[in-house]
Structure formats: C-alpha cells, structure tokens
Amino acid sequence: MSKILIFLVHPSLEKSKANQMLLDSIPNSQDITLHDLYEEYPGFTINVKAEQNLIESHDILLFQHPLYWYSCPPLMKLWIDLVLEDGWAYGRGGNQLLGKKWVQVITTGGSKEAYTKGGFHGFTPDEFLLPFRRTAELCGMEYLQPFLVQGTFELNELDLQKESNRYLLFINSLLGGIYG
Amino acid sequence: MDESSFFIQALIYLSSAIIMVPIANRLGLGSVLGYLIAGIVIGPFVFGFVGTEGKDMLHFAEFGVVMMLFAIGLELELDLLLRLKFWLLGLGGLQLVLTAAVTASFCIGFGFGWKPALALGLILSLSSTAIVLQTLKEKGLMKSISGQASFSVLLFQDMAVIPILAIFPMLSDAEVLPSANHHSLIEDFPGYLKTLVVLSVVVGIILVGKYLLGPFFRLLAKSGNREIFTGASLLLVIAISVLMGAVGVSAALGTFLGGVVLASSEFRHELESNIEPFKGLLLGLFFLSVGASMDIPIVMQSPTKVLGIVFGIIFLKAVVLFVLGMIFRLPLDQNLYFSLALSQVGEFSFVLFGYSAGLGILEESSIDLLVASVALSMALTPILLLLYEKTIFGFLESKIPKKQTEQDIHKQENPVIICGFGRFGNMLGRFLRSNGIAITILDFDADRVEMLGRFGFKVYFGDATRLELLEAAGLEHAKIVVAALDNPEKQAELIRNVSLHYPNIKIVARAGDREEAYDLKELGVQYIYRETRETAVLMGRDVLRLLGTRSHTAEKAKNLFLKHDDETFHELFDLRKDRVQYMSLAKQRNAELERLMLVDLGQEEELERDSWSEMER
C-alpha cells in the first residue's frame, strides 16, 4: 500500500469543469491526502517546513494542474523553488525524496493532435514536461508517465464521465489496491 | 517701574530685537550678535532709549541663563556622555585647562594679579555653543570629525560652567556676600550644618525629580490643559532656583541638576519645548541688556587695544585647539576648521563677566573692554570660517568621511517619528520595530505613555502639533513622519507644520474615513491610509471564503476591490464639491466594480476561459 499526496494546483478551479471532474473522481481513502495549494496559500506565502513534513509521510507525489504556457501554474513553480531545498531534497544530506514517485495529472485545452510533432504546438507533452522530469530525477525520485486529459473544452458530459473512470483506475493502480 | 513705562520699555526692547536679529541672521552673524547690536543701538551711548536701568534688566534677564542651564541639563543623557567620554574628557577637558592656563599666564604678564588672571582665563576658555552648533548644522558638518570634536568640546564647556561658577567666589579679594543681592537663610549656621543642608536639598531635588515629578505631570497632563503644563514647567525651574538660592547655592547649578535628573524622563521633550520660548526670549533680553550696558566710549577711545585683544584671544584659542587637534589625530583640514570654529569666546562669558563684577574680581573698565572684544570675536567667527572655506579648505579637503565611525558623536536620530500611538500607531510601531526600524514615538495621553514605557517602548509625552516639540524629538533627522492623531484638526495642524517647515520629509497619514482622507489629500498628503478600510475588506474576504469561495479567488477579489477603491478615491476627489456629479460617478464606478467582480468569480454569463487555451483551437 502506497500513500499518495495529491497536490491540487489550480488558480481558478471554479471555472474548470475538467479539473472539478478529476477532483470528484478521487476516492476517499486513508492513503490519499488531498492538498489544495491555491486554497492553502492564497497569498503565496508557502510554509516550507509544513510541506516537507507532509511529503515525508507519503510515497507518491501527484500534481494535478492545468497546463499553462507549456508549464505549471505559478504557485506550483514557487512551491518547487521553495520546498525542494538543498540539503533536504538534493545535494549534501538531501535524501528525503529518495525512492518516492513523482507523477503529474495534467489537463490541456488543446487536443492530442495539437501536441504532436506535426501538430499546432509542434512538440509532445513529454518534451514540454522535461524540466519536471529532471527535477524529479535530481531528487532521486521515480518519474512516472503523466496522466493527460486533453482537449478539455470539447469534452461533453459523456466524455467527462469516461475520463473520470479512467482517472479512478489510474489512482487505484498507484495505490496498489482496488477501490470502487 | 510703573505700568506705562514698563510697556514702553518692552516696546523698545522687543522692536529693536525684531529689527536687528533678522538682519544679523541674514548677514550670517547669528542671533546672539543681533541682540547685542540691538542692545548697543538702544543703549545710552547711541540712541539712549534706555538708560542705566540696563543693569537692573540684567538681573532679571539672568534668569534666561538659568533656564539655559536647565535645558543643557535636559540634553545630558547619560548614555551620550558615556559614549563620548574619550573625546569629552580628553579633548574637552584639555582644551579648557590649557586655554585657561595660557590665557592666565598672558594676563599675569600684562600685570594682572593671579586671581583675576585665572578668572579671565576660565572665562575666555569658553566658546559659543549657540554660534558654533548653528554653523555646523547649517553646513551639515555635525557628523564630520570636526563636528564631533567641536560638539564634545562645547558639551564639556557647558558642564564646566557649573564648577567655574562655584570657584569664582574664592577668587574674589573683596568682602562680598556669597549671593550678590540677598542673604541666604543658612548664613549663620556652622559650616558642617551648611554642607549638610545643601547636600540634603540636592538629594531632595534628585529624589523628587525621579519619583514625584512623573506622576505629578501625568496628573496635569490628564487635565489636558496645555498652559497649565507650561506653567508647571516654569514653576519647576523657578522653584528649584529659589530653593537653591535660599541655601546659598547658585540657581544655575540647581536648575542644571534638575535638568540632568529629568533628562531620562518621558516628559523631557515636553519640558524642553515649554521652556524654549521663555529661555529664548530671556536669553535674548540678557544679550540685549549686555549690549545696552556696554560702555561704548571706552572702546571708541582705544580701538587698537580692542582689536589687539580680539585677535590675541582668537589666535591663542585657535593655537591651543590646533595643537590638541593634532594630538587627537584630526585630519589637517578638519583640524583647522575645528580650531577656527571654536576660536571665539562664548555667550556665557557675559554672565561670568557680570558675576565677576559683582564679586569685584575684575574692574568695570576692563570688563567693558572685554565684553566688546568678546562680542567682536563672536562676530568674526562666521567671517573667518567663510574665508577659510573659500580659500584653504578647498585645497586641503580630505573630504568629510562618508562612513561614520563607531563612536558616533551626534545622537543618532531615528528615521521615523510616529505621532499618536493609539491603536493604529501602536500596530504600525510594532510592525516597524519587528523589522528593525528605529522609531521615535510621541503621544499626548499620559497613561498610555506610562503603560507603553513598561512594555519597553520609548515613548515621549507631548503634543505633536507643536513644531518645537517635534524638533526636540529629532525632526530634522527624520525621513518619515507618521501622522496618526485621532483628532482631524490636530492631524491637519501637524501636517501643515511639517510640510511647511520640512518639505523634504515624507508624511504618511492615517485618515478616519473617506471625508477625512479627502481633507488630507487637500493638504497635499501623498500617502493616505483609511483606518478601517483594509480590515473591513479582509473581513469581507473571509466572509466570502466562509460562503465557499476559494481562498485564492477571495484574495484576488480583495486586491481588485482595494485597487478599484484607490482609483475611485482619486477620481471622486475632484468632484466631491459637486454632489450631483459625485453621486452619479460613484454609482457608475460601483456598477463597474460589480461587473468586474462577477466576471472574476466566474458567475458571469460569458464564462471566461483560460485565455491562452482559447487560441489553441
């Protein structure tokens, strides 16, 4: 049984159907902690110690966020800058993240096709997410393939339901157990 | 003196002063000389408006000197003295002793007896605090090395006046009573009892000053009546001097002691500013009387003699100072400046001349010559310094050191002065203090001052609308004045005072409501803070959250609202006289804000998308 720490990072969640759907799909479990960064730190003053303590008692760090300008929302970037400290996350004596898993759950407005070599954006999500991959690796973490929900504003109710089921299965597989 | 002639006297004295003092100030001679010249002009030898009663006037005006010593005592904070002990005792002490010794031996060479020679040496060793400090301040040299050295020497001299006054009776050959014009109460007591009485009076003053004055002033302050407070300050000085006079100690010494006792009191600035106008006027009157009683014909008969004395004194003093400056390793340019700046004889010498005439140490004729010479030496100082700056100083300039030394002479004044330390000022003060900003606090509520003192805040009691009080609290060194007085009229008065006299100091002001804020803007205040605005909006933000709005969204809503409120404030300011237009614009702006808010909270029809995803389609 792995413990999952889910970071919800969305500056305007009330306007994102896709992200609300994803949030609703997360099962209730004592092994899952939901941590809503924009709710916790509206003024962008991150409590680094508290964040680190939270991480130390979990095995998987899951970041659920929309893709803004091929990257994460600003609070998540700030979180990375502040929380992943030298001497704690990496560097001399920085072994707190060793062996933990890093995974991102990302919604994109653009479709699957747009994020291909020949598509509108010209690169794949993997290529765009390279900085996060390196961040995780540098901290000795295992970087898992991201879970993508794409073309969000073309999704109808039925599509949303399908994506929701897919997400539940994904989380269950991460937990290494069966939840329904 | 009957009533009408008293007023005519006052008329003459005051009008001559208000004509001459500004002129002397314009010419850069300083107000002391202005008064002296005015005195000479109205005196018996020029216009003859006032006759020989100049001498009686002197006795009355000497009380100005008593007050000056009280003020000097108030300035003497113990920690300042401790910080300066090296300069003070070394440079200051040696200066006095050496100058007095050299001058006295010269006088003996001229055929004086040793007693008058020593008296003269002591008198001439003093320099003019008023002239030098004013000059240094005007030229911004207070923090330079020469400024530090000068300040130390002057401070030592001011303190040395007390023992000098005590020594003088011993230098008298004549059989003169210890106090020139009245008998002391304890004259017939045996010696040991005298000493005992004097000691117990001094101890009494110290104890009363330490333990009784605080509560007493607080009681008065509660009555909230300013003139009573002023009266009490005067009463204090007069009472001390009478008491001391009664036991045969000089009034000056007594009040000086009283001042020192009160230097650490929270009422210090208040006392200082209450005494200030009286002190200034009485001292002015004193210098006027000196001028009026000056025997001009004597000087006129022997101009070469006078000039010889003047330049002799200046040369002697400057040489002694210069040698000491070398010993104390002042840079050459600074040393020269320091030597010239302190080369005149101080205003206190007039007091001592009068005193020594009363004791019969010096003859009247030589005193007249000397008083004229001293006045001239004072007049020459600004001129000499100007010449020095224009010529040699430029060549030597080792530049005033930018970096200040550890033992900073001038009392470091705080960059922020908070006026009004109620709920609002208190909060601000705590915030600034926790960020290591040094603040000076003024408040007019005696209970509060006492309570804050217990919490380790250095709070001064006083009415911040009085410019002289602010100046005593170090206004000229401040960068920012926080106006946080509760009473709008007082607040306006404070702002007007500061912005008029110190246009470079930034004023940060608290306003009670929108109307008050408009009034402050009218006064030209740039930084205005409505007391309840942020708190109310913060509460609003949390109400939104409790209703289920996301934190970050509520936070953004708060910031948007505040920004919009600021903009509206400045727009409406221009219209506030025109009620109709004002209301219509206000309504319009509110509607606009509402629309903005709805969009931001996602309740607007046109559901705003992540704009950057829009272009992905």
Side-chain angles (χ1 to χ4, degrees):
Chain A
M1 237 354 161
S2 315
K3 281 188 171 298
I4 307 182
L5 177 53
I6 299 182
F7 293 94
L8 174 63
V9 198
H10 203 306
S12 47
L13 185 71
E14 54 276 70
K15 294 182 206 162
S16 168
K17 281 215 179 90
N19 269 285
Q20 285 175 28
M21 171 278 294
L22 290 175
L23 196 57
D24 293 340
S25 323
I26 298 169
N28 278 329
S29 155
Q30 57 201 28
D31 297 322
I32 298 177
T33 309
L34 184 65
H35 190 41
D36 184 342
L37 285 187
Y38 271 96
E39 189 64 17
E40 196 71 32
Y41 303 120
F44 276 50
T45 311
I46 292 174
N47 182 342
V48 174
K49 207 82 223 114
E51 294 296 308
Q52 290 175 346
N53 289 342
L54 200 55
I55 291 168
E56 283 169 21
S57 56
H58 291 81
D59 312 301
I60 301 171
L61 307 187
L62 185 152
F63 297 89
Q64 185 190 317
H65 64 87
L67 194 69
Y68 283 171
W69 281 108
Y70 314 113
S71 184
C72 62
L75 184 55
M76 178 165 161
K77 177 62 171 71
L78 184 68
W79 184 96
I80 292 171
D81 293 348
L82 295 180
V83 179
L84 306 185
E85 277 181 316
D86 185 5
W88 182 84
Y90 69 97
R92 193 218 271 278
N95 53 7
Q96 292 295 334
L97 297 174
L98 226 51
K100 295 189 192 294
K101 295 188 172 74
W102 172 296
V103 64
Q104 277 157 286
V105 174
I106 296 173
T107 56
T108 65
S111 62
K112 267 201 178 65
E113 292 71 47
Y115 287 92
T116 54
K117 266 276 169 275
F120 179 78
H121 295 298
F123 294 93
T124 63
D126 279 347
E127 286 169 312
F128 285 127
L129 294 177
L130 186 60
F132 299 102
R133 182 187 193 124
R134 277 300 304 148
T135 301
E137 284 170 0
L138 188 74
C139 298
M141 298 177 76
E142 187 185 339
Y143 178 82
L144 305 180
Q145 276 306 300
F147 178 96
L148 302 169
V149 180
Q150 297 189 278
T152 49
F153 41 66
E154 284 150 2
L155 298 178
N156 57 30
E157 284 304 315
L158 190 63
D159 297 328
L160 280 172
Q161 202 48 57
K162 280 184 192 157
E163 292 295 302
S164 171
N165 288 335
R166 199 164 66 85
Y167 189 40
L168 181 59
L169 287 172
F170 175 74
I171 289 189
N172 273 332
S173 69
L174 285 179
L175 281 171
I178 303 297
Y179 281 82
Chain B
M1 205 189 289
D2 63 70
E3 203 169 319
S4 68
S5 84
F6 168 77
F7 278 114
I8 288 170
Q9 288 282 335
L11 195 75
I12 292 168
Y13 274 97
L14 286 172
S15 39
S16 65
I18 61 171
I19 294 167
M20 285 314 300
V21 172
I23 292 177
N25 270 333
R26 269 324 291 239
L27 297 174
L29 300 173
S31 56
V32 173
L33 280 165
Y35 283 119
L36 272 178
I37 297 165
I40 293 172
V41 169
I42 59 174
F45 304 105
V46 183
F47 284 127
F49 292 142
V50 292
T52 43
E53 71 274 14
K55 287 263 192 293
D56 308 333
M57 199 60 97
L58 257 175
H59 278 307
F60 176 64
E62 265 173 28
F63 199 66
V65 178
V66 169
M67 285 196 170
M68 182 164 102
L69 278 167
F70 181 71
I72 290 171
L74 277 180
E75 292 283 345
L76 285 187
E77 280 187 87
L78 217 55
D79 59 339
L80 179 72
L81 291 186
L82 287 176
R83 244 186 313 146
L84 297 186
K85 54 182 183 286
F86 167 76
W87 290 86
L88 205 65
L89 295 176
L91 197 57
L94 282 172
Q95 185 277 141
L96 200 118
V97 171
L98 282 179
T99 312
V102 172
T103 318
S105 39
F106 253 86
C107 293
I108 291 170
F110 275 109
F112 279 74
W114 73 268
K115 282 181 176 173
L118 181 57
L120 251 180
L122 286 170
I123 293 174
L124 298 182
S125 66
L126 303 175
S127 309
S128 168
T129 306
I131 290 180
V132 179
L133 284 192
Q134 199 152 0
T135 312
L136 288 171
K137 269 184 188 150
E138 276 166 16
K139 301 208 193 304
L141 291 171
M142 258 337 261
K143 302 230 172 190
S144 69
I145 298 186
S146 57
Q148 293 193 11
S150 309
F151 183 77
S152 304
V153 171
L154 289 168
L155 193 61
F156 183 86
Q157 290 177 355
D158 283 339
M159 292 193 292
V161 163
I162 309 293
I164 291 176
L165 281 173
I167 291 172
F168 264 39
M170 299 176 214
L171 296 177
S172 155
D173 288 329
E175 278 302 312
V176 190
L177 294 173
S179 44
N181 36 15
H182 60 269
H183 298 257
S184 80
L185 294 175
I186 55 169
E187 227 172 315
D188 309 329
F189 287 19
Y192 72 93
L193 209 57
K194 264 190 203 168
T195 320
L196 205 65
V197 170
V198 172
L199 266 181
S200 53
V201 167
V202 170
V203 170
I205 286 181
I206 291 174
L207 288 178
V208 167
K210 245 191 152 47
Y211 297 107
L212 284 183
L213 275 179
F216 174 64
F217 273 134
R218 249 171 249 135
L219 206 68
L220 280 182
K222 264 189 218 155
S223 75
N225 201 327
R226 190 193 288 174
E227 59 271 20
I228 287 297
F229 215 99
T230 310
S233 311
L234 273 178
L235 175 66
L236 180 74
V237 180
I238 293 172
I240 294 177
S241 64
V242 168
L243 192 66
M244 283 299 197
V247 296
V249 180
S250 85
L253 173 60
T255 43
F256 175 78
L257 263 179
V260 173
V261 171
L262 290 169
S264 54
S265 137
E266 73 229 39
F267 291 97
R268 183 182 130 203
H269 290 315
E270 180 72 9
L271 280 169
E272 228 172 307
S273 63
N274 279 328
I275 297 286
E276 187 63 41
F278 297 100
K279 181 189 91 179
L281 272 179
L282 279 170
L283 269 182
L285 187 60
F286 175 75
F287 295 136
L288 268 170
S289 325
V290 170
S293 56
M294 209 191 272
D295 199 346
I296 302 296
I298 282 202
V299 180
M300 286 303 165
Q301 281 155 21
S302 45
T304 41
K305 198 170 172 184
V306 173
L307 283 178
I309 295 176
V310 171
F311 284 102
I313 292 173
I314 290 183
F315 181 74
L316 266 183
K317 293 191 69 165
V319 167
V320 171
L321 286 161
F322 188 78
V323 170
L324 281 174
M326 297 215 312
I327 295 172
F328 278 76
R329 305 263 168 84
L330 297 184
L332 184 60
D333 61 327
Q334 301 275 324
N335 190 3
L336 276 169
Y337 197 97
F338 158 78
S339 316
L340 283 175
L342 295 171
S343 63
Q344 79 297 96
V345 182
E347 55 269 19
F348 214 85
S349 62
F350 300 133
V351 181
L352 292 175
F353 280 132
Y355 194 55
S356 55
L359 291 169
I361 303 176
L362 296 166
E363 294 157 36
E364 292 280 347
S365 59
S366 47
I367 286 184
D368 280 332
L369 264 183
L370 285 164
V371 167
S373 313
V374 167
L376 268 174
S377 80
M378 287 162 106
L380 280 171
T381 305
I383 301 166
L384 280 175
L385 285 178
L386 208 65
L387 278 174
Y388 171 64
E389 275 169 50
K390 289 273 178 287
T391 54
I392 313 171
F393 192 52
F395 291 118
L396 292 175
E397 194 131 41
S398 72
K399 291 276 179 279
I400 290 140
K402 292 279 171 285
K403 225 180 63 180
Q404 273 177 48
T405 44
E406 282 299 270
Q407 29 148 275
D408 196 358
I409 282 260
H410 197 63
K411 202 174 86 200
Q412 268 300 355
E413 300 290 358
N414 297 335
V416 180
I417 298 180
I418 299 182
C419 306
F421 211 61
R423 291 185 305 258
F424 190 90
N426 192 319
M427 209 68 197
L428 174 74
R430 278 167 45 206
F431 173 78
L432 292 177
R433 219 165 69 147
S434 63
N435 285 283
I437 307 291
I439 51 181
T440 302
I441 306 161
L442 295 172
D443 196 283
F444 206 39
D445 175 338
D447 284 339
R448 200 187 282 155
V449 170
E450 188 199 10
M451 185 192 76
L452 289 165
R454 287 208 298 269
F455 282 105
F457 269 108
K458 186 81 185 129
V459 185
Y460 291 110
F461 171 84
D463 181 349
T465 56
R466 302 168 58 190
L467 194 65
E468 63 269 34
L469 177 77
L470 284 169
E471 280 165 346
L475 183 63
E476 57 188 312
H477 306 280
K479 293 192 175 64
I480 293 170
V481 166
V482 176
L485 304 176
D486 287 334
N487 175 333
E489 284 83 34
K490 289 256 183 220
Q491 181 87 330
E493 199 180 334
L494 162 68
I495 288 163
R496 254 182 288 207
N497 274 341
V498 175
S499 52
L500 183 67
H501 297 280
Y502 294 87
N504 293 333
I505 294 180
K506 291 194 172 63
I507 299 175
V508 181
R510 166 214 154 275
D513 56 22
R514 215 184 177 91
E515 285 304 318
E516 269 178 45
Y518 286 144
D519 295 341
L520 291 177
K521 193 170 156 71
E522 190 100 341
L523 286 171
V525 181
Q526 258 186 302
Y527 309 96
I528 302 168
Y529 299 85
R530 295 216 305 277
E531 190 169 31
T532 50
R533 190 179 86 133
E534 268 72 9
T535 319
V537 178
L538 277 184
M539 192 172 180
R541 179 200 65 188
D542 291 348
V543 169
L544 282 181
R545 285 170 58 179
L546 293 168
L547 288 171
T549 309
R550 288 179 53 76
S551 296
H552 183 65
T553 308
E555 180 78 16
K556 278 197 305 189
K558 178 202 78 176
N559 295 337
L560 182 73
F561 182 90
L562 288 174
K563 185 166 163 289
H564 188 273
D565 187 66
D566 277 338
E567 288 165 1
T568 313
F569 174 79
H570 293 299
E571 276 185 0
L572 289 173
F573 173 74
D574 304 323
L575 291 178
R576 74 190 192 294
K577 299 274 188 276
D578 178 352
R579 255 1 221 178
V580 180
Q581 279 211 52
Y582 181 94
M583 290 312 289
S584 89
L585 181 65
K587 282 195 183 119
Q588 192 186 315
R589 295 289 286 169
N590 279 342
E592 200 175 297
L593 178 65
E594 224 163 284
R595 213 168 38 77
L596 270 175
M597 287 291 187
L598 287 178
V599 168
D600 209 65
L601 290 169
Q603 293 164 358
E604 189 77 336
E605 276 311 296
E606 39 152 334
L607 188 69
E608 179 209 348
R609 295 224 172 77
D610 293 339
S611 35
W612 101 273
S613 335
E614 288 286 327
M615 62 101 182
E616 291 189 65
R617 294 166 129 176

